[in-house]
Amino acid sequence: MSANSRTATAAQILCVIAWRGDGGTDATQIAKSLQTNPVVVRKMLKELEQAGLVTIRPGRNGGVRLARPSHAITLAQIHQAIDDGAVLAMRPGVNRRCPVSVRMPALLTPVFQAAAQAVDKTLAGVTLASLVEAIG
């Protein structure tokens, strides 16, 4: 199983936008920071726009800007926008003939919920502004 890096990717995208300042930026410039294709960035920017974190100006002279000040955007909001807040999830389906499979949801759900709350609390304490400030 691979780790999900979507929240980290979104955080880097937003840091690039914030770091570039009021002049704005575009998907091509952001893609250079991520060393990826601008199409990947554009897809994620759409998700961030739907969550109200960025505004996108389409067209030849278009670009992207933060929809609110960087101090008003937390990693928790970014995580919620990109990964729907998911941290750990149960496997789909239960084998009703297996005593282990039957018990797993009841055993793991409270543990996963506690982990999600801890992640949310930690991420809520970090703003985009604090990350950009640390970049310099």
Side-chain angles (χ1 to χ4, degrees):
M1 248 182 269
S2 64
N4 183 341
S5 63
R6 286 175 45 81
T7 296
T9 300
Q12 184 171 341
I13 287 171
L14 291 171
C15 279
V16 169
I17 296 167
W19 186 76
R20 294 203 41 109
D22 292 335
T25 189
D26 61 28
T28 301
Q29 292 170 337
I30 296 167
K32 288 178 184 176
S33 174
L34 294 167
Q35 294 184 330
T36 191
N37 190 298
V39 172
V40 172
V41 173
R42 284 186 196 98
K43 287 179 182 179
M44 194 163 280
L45 284 171
K46 291 281 186 194
E47 293 178 66
L48 294 168
E49 181 182 45
Q50 289 171 347
L53 299 177
V54 299
T55 57
I56 299 172
R57 222 178 40 250
R60 182 174 164 202
N61 295 318
V64 60
R65 289 192 167 100
L66 297 179
R68 55 183 116 144
S70 60
H71 69 271
I73 299 173
T74 68
L75 284 179
Q77 293 166 333
I78 297 167
H79 181 59
Q80 183 66 40
I82 294 300
D83 285 324
D84 196 25
V87 177
L88 299 169
M90 294 300 304
R91 292 183 68 248
V94 172
N95 178 351
R96 298 281 173 210
R97 295 181 193 175
C98 176
V100 173
S101 183
V102 168
R103 291 289 293 140
M104 292 318 311
L107 296 172
L108 292 179
T109 298
V111 174
F112 289 178
Q113 287 172 341
Q117 289 172 351
V119 168
D120 287 344
K121 182 179 178 183
T122 301
L123 294 179
V126 179
T127 66
L128 186 60
S130 69
L131 296 175
V132 174
E133 186 178 312
I135 292 167

